[in-house]
Structures are given as structure tokens and as C-alpha cells.
């Protein structure tokens, strides 16, 4: 599975009080030379089931019928009745659940850590848009280094096929 849904906008509304980011890291298991890629989504406010379904709808269009296996943690919006009902109608998507508390198994945690240590470290922007722009720059930095997303996947200790990243 290859994921990359970076939504780009040169302008973010200045009236956003809070923004949330969702991220996924994946690879195409039958064609690993495509590389591991990041999926990143930013929205004002918080994610709920409806917002996550909208993100998944974007994935559906992006993949054009390819099968996607999404490994999610136990966030209530991930496993709500509405989400389970929506997923049951999708022939392209399968969900797998991580253990209740297992941040070490989530490669996206390493993504957040990398962003916080580089682009977001000591950032004191005047607007939330400054944070959004810095985060987007970090996503591009990480995607520009093909080995870095693979290292996030490998660090989890989960079985990743192929076992070694492509050169």
C-alpha cells in the first residue's frame, strides 16, 4: 500500500483556533520500489468519524480500486458504529486494530517525533498557518529521503515486506 495524500494550500485561514493532523505511513506490498510514503491531512478542529470517513474517501479516489489495509489504533472514531458500517460497504478497504496502548507499534508516532524535533522545535508562529506550513515542509523533508519513512516502519518491529527498504 502506498499512501500519499498531502493536501496543499498556500493559505490557511487565520481564524483557525485549533487544527488537527492525521497521518498514515504505508508502502505498496507488491511493488516495494514505489517506496514507503506518508499520508498527511490537516483540518481545523478535531477529527471525528465523519471527518475520518472524508479522509478515507480521498484515499479511495487516490487508489482507484487498489486494495488498502489500514492498521489503526483504538481511537473511538476509528471503531465507531458509523465507521464500521461505512467500512463494511467498502470492498477496497480492510481495517486491522493495534493493541490498546502500543505507541511503539505506530510508525506515525516517529513521524510526529521527527516533525517536533525539526520543523516544529521552538516554533512560535503568529498564526496556526505557520504551524501548518512548517509541518508540510517536514512532510516534504521526510518524503524526500526514501530511507526515512522505511526506518519508521522498520522501527516498530512489525513484519514489513520486503524486509529491507529498496535502495
Amino acid at each position: 500500500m502506498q499512501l500519499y495524500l498531502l493536501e496543499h494550500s498556500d493559505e490557511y485561514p487565520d481564524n483557525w483556533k485549533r487544527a488537527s493532523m492525521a497521518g498514515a505511513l504505508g508502502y505498496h506490498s507488491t511493488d516495494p520500489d514505489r517506496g514507503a510514503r506518508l499520508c498527511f491531512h490537516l483540518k481545523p478542529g478535531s477529527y471525528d468519524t465523519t471527518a475520518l470517513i472524508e479522509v478515507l474517501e480521498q484515499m479511495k479516489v487516490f487508489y482507484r480500486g487498489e486494495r488498502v489495509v489500514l492498521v489503526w489504533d483504538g481511537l473511538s472514531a476509528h471503531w465507531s458504529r458509523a465507521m464500521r458500517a461505512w467500512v463494511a460497504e467498502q470492498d477496497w478497504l480492510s481495517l486491522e486494530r493495534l493493541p490498546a496502548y502500543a505507541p511503539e507499534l505506530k510508525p506515525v508516532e516517529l513521524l510526529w517525533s521527527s516533525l517536533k524535533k525539526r520543523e516544529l522545535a521552538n516554533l512560535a508562529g503568529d498564526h496556526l498557518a505557520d504551524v501548518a506550513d512548517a509541518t508540510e515542509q517536514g512532510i516534504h523533508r521526510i518524503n524526500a529521503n526514501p530511507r526515512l519513512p522505511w526506518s519508521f516502519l522498520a522501527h516498530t518491529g512489525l513484519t514489513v515486506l520486503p524486509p529491507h527498504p529498496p535502495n
Side-chain angles (χ1 to χ4, degrees):
M1 156 174 55
Q2 180 185 4
L3 300 176
Y4 185 62
L5 295 174
L6 178 62
E7 289 193 349
H8 176 72
S9 173
D10 290 333
E11 293 186 24
Y12 299 96
D14 289 337
N15 62 350
W16 285 13
K17 302 289 185 224
R18 173 189 161 119
S20 297
M21 294 179 266
L25 178 61
Y27 69 100
H28 197 285
S29 62
T30 59
D31 188 4
D33 290 334
R34 285 176 154 176
R37 300 300 286 178
L38 300 172
C39 168
F40 172 75
H41 189 269
L42 174 71
K43 72 175 289 316
S46 301
Y47 284 97
D48 59 11
T49 299
T50 302
L52 288 172
I53 288 173
E54 290 173 10
V55 172
L56 294 175
E57 287 285 0
Q58 291 178 18
M59 286 176 62
K60 181 179 179 179
V61 171
F62 179 79
Y63 285 110
R64 298 182 207 132
E66 287 186 67
R67 298 259 324 133
V68 172
V69 177
L70 186 58
V71 181
W72 260 352
D73 61 18
L75 182 70
S76 60
H78 293 168
W79 302 100
S80 68
R81 284 186 183 152
M83 179 62 76
R84 289 190 316 247
W86 183 84
V87 169
E89 296 174 359
Q90 309 305 309
D91 61 354
W92 64 278
L93 181 64
S94 300
L95 298 181
E96 296 293 332
R97 188 175 190 153
L98 285 169
Y101 183 76
E104 71 280 1
L105 298 179
K106 294 169 54 177
V108 173
E109 294 296 332
L110 295 165
L111 163 68
W112 301 140
S113 177
S114 180
L115 292 173
K116 289 174 185 176
K117 289 177 182 172
R118 297 271 308 261
E119 287 77 15
L120 300 177
N122 300 315
L123 179 65
D126 292 328
H127 302 284
L128 199 51
D130 297 333
V131 176
D133 289 339
T135 301
E136 188 170 328
Q137 289 172 7
I139 296 294
H140 286 293
R141 172 185 55 85
I142 291 166
N143 273 330
N145 178 346
R147 298 190 66 79
L148 194 52
W150 277 108
S151 72
F152 295 165
L153 287 164
H155 184 77
T156 66
L158 298 172
T159 301
V160 177
L161 299 173
H164 303 289
N167 293 329

